[in-house]
Amino acid sequence: YEGATKRFEDGYGNDLSGFDVDCLKGIGSLKIGDDCFKKVNRFVIDGLNELKSVNIGWNSFKLNKENRCGSKCLIMNCDQLSEIHIGGWSFFWYESFELKNLPSLISIQLDQYAFMKCHSIVFESMNDWMTDEWDLTRLQSITLGYAALLGNDDNVESNELIMKSMTDSD
């Protein structure tokens, strides 16, 4: 990939409660190792137009019942992002996972138990009325490992997976 790679080594950031997305400006590739960011309950990437790949290792962003309230993984508005790979057991206990407006996305891979206990998953595409281009039309594969996206069955009325396209009605 063109552009610099931002790497977080195994075990990084386990004393941090937040993920600082500002360090990713201008980055082409994000690689987060195993066992990282265990106390971070909001991972939001929005509008990083140089970003082409996100690769997160095993057991990263792994919460528990006590610290999961309000937890969210949101990746949106990244024009060139083509590949997302989330390692096993990462984002365990996260409440929601959303991918929105990613026009170049080709592949999503979630290894075993990724986003387990997650009860809201939304993959949403929106028509860009400026260029009349659809996003998520390039998506070629969604690969799910064992029990990836397995919903939460404790104290949640329902689990949802929403995949939709919206057009500009004007």
Side-chain angles (χ1 to χ4, degrees), residues 91-149:
F91 296 98
F92 196 105
W93 280 111
Y94 261 57
E95 290 184 338
S96 74
F97 176 37
E98 296 181 53
L99 301 178
K100 294 183 176 180
N101 196 22
L102 301 172
S104 300
L105 194 61
I106 293 170
S107 78
I108 302 167
Q109 180 175 336
L110 306 176
D111 292 342
Q112 62 255 39
Y113 300 103
F115 289 99
M116 188 166 165
K117 300 288 188 179
C118 185
H119 62 82
S120 175
I121 296 115
V122 179
F123 298 165
E124 185 175 298
S125 63
M126 290 167 273
N127 186 282
D128 181 348
W129 61 270
M130 295 285 285
T131 61
D132 202 35
E133 287 181 17
W134 287 86
D135 70 359
L136 284 186
T137 54
R138 293 187 186 177
L139 189 61
Q140 294 173 7
S141 70
I142 299 175
T143 307
L144 302 177
Y146 179 80
L149 302 180

Side-chain angles (χ1 to χ4, degrees), residues 8 17-25 30 32 37 40-49 51 54 56 61 70-78 81 84 86 91 94 96-100 102 115:
F8 294 95
S17 60
F19 183 81
D20 178 19
V21 75
D22 290 338
C23 71
L24 302 181
K25 288 201 170 40
L30 171 62
I32 295 175
F37 299 108
V40 171
N41 75 352
R42 290 179 73 80
F43 180 73
V44 177
I45 292 178
D46 184 359
L48 295 180
N49 290 325
L51 189 64
V54 172
I56 297 173
F61 300 94
S71 56
K72 168 188 278 199
C73 175
L74 171 60
I75 302 174
M76 64 188 290
N77 303 323
C78 298
L81 184 62
I84 297 171
I86 310 286
F91 296 98
Y94 261 57
S96 74
F97 176 37
E98 296 181 53
L99 301 178
K100 294 183 176 180
L102 301 172
F115 289 99

Side-chain angles (χ1 to χ4, degrees), residues 50-82:
E50 294 83 13
L51 189 64
K52 292 184 173 138
S53 74
V54 172
N55 193 314
I56 297 173
W58 284 61
N59 282 313
S60 291
F61 300 94
K62 185 176 178 183
L63 302 177
N64 57 42
K65 264 185 178 176
E66 288 69 42
N67 62 2
R68 75 178 309 226
C69 192
S71 56
K72 168 188 278 199
C73 175
L74 171 60
I75 302 174
M76 64 188 290
N77 303 323
C78 298
D79 292 350
Q80 294 189 59
L81 184 62
S82 63

